[in-house]
Amino acid sequence: MSTMAPETDSRKLTGLVAATFTPFTTEGEINLSVIGPYVQYLIEKQGVKSIFVNGTTGESMSLSVAERKALAEEWCRTARGRMDQVIVHVGAMSLSDSQDLARHAAQIGADGIAVIAPFFFKPQTAEALRKFLQEVASVAPSVPFYYYQIPAITGINMPVVDLVDGIQQLIPSFRGIKFSGSDLMDLGQCVRHSPPQWSVLYGVDEQLLAALAMGAHGAVGSTFNYIGSHMNKLLSAFEGGDLIQARAIQFQMQELLSFAMRLGFDVGVNKQLMAEVSGLHLGPPRLPLLQCPLERSQQILQKYRSVFP
């Protein structure tokens, strides 16, 4: 494989990126009709203009390849000309499925693709994981490529800084990391050793301010679907040197999420909260996730409204 850099989009991914929920009908089928209003809501109500689709929040591992393609196509079509970037997660347990999704993402004009580490048969070394990522990236060489690290899901805890060492030679389209771990030293080292064209995007929403202090270029998160307007204020305060204001907003988010976590806060509960706040019909999650009990969603919604009046 050539190590000559391909012609990739030079726009650097920064700021807030909403990790989107997948809309389902009440019968559990994907509901493409909600995606247009969803994009409009993010832009107009939350001020969020980049999205990360078919990821953990989008229940990607509970979707078929055909469903993931249909969703990616509709997100890209609807967001084109309205949003800054659409990043499509194409990771899968099967290399061939991941490559199939990557080719499709390139065909529909995705602004980037991201890949999670396989976590059934886990890569035992950084070399093995780099090889898997290289094989996926090779079928869509003109599309900016991101590694999606989320050790709480994958159980893969190898330092990301070791994984990405020399990766540009293997994957010329490599453009950054969605870092959804809590190891801020590893995050800092990734930032320190990243070339200017890379984006290091943090994925633990309740610790965003700490990541910004370490040099993160932006963030990908589920809560930006419904707290994006507030977190944009956090970014502005941080960039303006107003740490007191930035910290106050981060503490508000932590108050909400710590309350929700004590009650039980998974993708299904998070999805229901987004539906309650936005008014969008997102439907239930897919099994094995269970729909959020009404009493719990109302408690969390009440807390949301008290914290972010």
Side-chain angles (χ1 to χ4, degrees), residues 96-141:
S96 63
D97 283 352
S98 195
Q99 289 176 319
D100 188 15
L101 289 163
R103 289 189 193 95
H104 178 260
Q107 291 165 3
I108 63 175
D111 298 290
I113 55 176
V115 173
I116 197 172
F119 52 86
F120 186 83
F121 290 117
K122 296 178 174 63
Q124 298 300 308
T125 64
E127 179 184 6
L129 181 50
R130 277 194 295 266
K131 181 67 173 173
F132 182 90
L133 300 178
Q134 180 186 17
E135 290 296 317
V136 178
S138 68
V139 304

Side-chain angles (χ1 to χ4, degrees), residues 2-308:
S2 171
T3 58
M4 182 177 294
E7 294 182 5
T8 56
D9 192 331
S10 60
R11 294 175 303 150
K12 184 164 180 170
L13 184 58
T14 59
L16 294 187
V17 183
T20 58
F21 297 94
T22 292
F24 292 129
T25 65
T26 52
E27 292 76 31
E29 302 301 317
I30 60 172
N31 188 358
L32 301 181
S33 68
V34 177
I35 290 176
Y38 196 148
V39 167
Q40 183 176 355
Y41 172 81
L42 288 176
I43 295 169
E44 295 182 357
K45 300 297 185 182
Q46 298 300 334
V48 174
K49 297 191 70 176
S50 291
I51 51 177
F52 185 97
V53 306
N54 291 350
T56 304
T57 303
E59 302 177 67
S60 62
M61 296 302 163
S62 298
L63 301 170
S64 69
V65 168
E67 287 175 322
R68 290 175 69 172
K69 286 181 177 181
L71 285 159
E73 194 163 336
E74 186 65 13
W75 282 114
C76 286
R77 186 192 69 80
T78 306
R80 187 167 294 115
R82 303 173 66 194
M83 302 194 103
D84 293 335
Q85 295 203 41
V86 179
I87 309 301
V88 178
H89 172 244
V90 301
M93 298 305 98
S94 159
L95 175 60
S96 63
D97 283 352
S98 195
Q99 289 176 319
D100 188 15
L101 289 163
R103 289 189 193 95
H104 178 260
Q107 291 165 3
I108 63 175
D111 298 290
I113 55 176
V115 173
I116 197 172
F119 52 86
F120 186 83
F121 290 117
K122 296 178 174 63
Q124 298 300 308
T125 64
E127 179 184 6
L129 181 50
R130 277 194 295 266
K131 181 67 173 173
F132 182 90
L133 300 178
Q134 180 186 17
E135 290 296 317
V136 178
S138 68
V139 304
S142 64
V143 183
F145 184 94
Y146 299 86
Y147 170 57
Y148 174 14
Q149 178 250 19
I150 182 166
I153 296 291
T154 64
I156 296 169
N157 288 293
M158 66 182 68
V160 181
V161 69
D162 293 344
L163 173 70
V164 300
D165 182 27
I167 203 167
Q168 193 90 51
Q169 284 68 50
L170 294 175
I171 306 175
S173 58
F174 194 87
R175 289 297 178 271
I177 307 152
K178 179 183 185 294
F179 193 108
S180 295
S182 58
D183 186 343
L184 292 177
M185 183 169 76
D186 189 22
L187 173 75
Q189 291 302 294
C190 288
V191 172
R192 180 186 180 194
H193 295 290
S194 293
Q197 69 271 25
W198 287 15
S199 297
V200 179
L201 304 159
Y202 198 54
V204 184
D205 303 2
E206 61 270 27
Q207 298 180 172
L208 174 56
L209 182 57
L212 294 174
M214 296 302 295
H217 305 111
V220 182
S222 62
T223 65
F224 307 150
N225 284 284
Y226 51 86
I227 312 181
S229 60
H230 300 283
M231 299 311 285
N232 273 322
K233 293 175 183 176
L234 184 154
L235 291 182
S236 296
F238 178 79
E239 290 165 2
D242 188 350
L243 287 179
I244 292 175
Q245 175 66 7
R247 195 179 296 130
I249 298 169
Q250 184 72 90
F251 288 164
Q252 284 178 292
M253 169 181 271
Q254 290 178 347
E255 181 181 351
L256 172 65
L257 291 187
S258 61
F259 176 84
M261 288 172 183
R262 283 194 294 271
L263 295 179
F265 192 62
D266 61 9
V267 170
V269 179
N270 203 6
K271 186 177 192 178
Q272 183 61 33
L273 180 58
M274 169 59 176
E276 298 278 2
V277 173
S278 67
L280 297 169
H281 178 73
L282 298 178
R286 274 204 176 155
L287 291 170
L289 296 176
L290 297 175
Q291 189 160 13
C292 175
L294 180 60
E295 180 182 358
R296 189 188 310 176
S297 69
Q298 290 304 304
Q299 285 180 283
I300 298 172
L301 179 63
Q302 184 177 1
K303 183 68 173 180
Y304 168 88
R305 288 173 173 164
S306 69
V307 173
F308 296 105

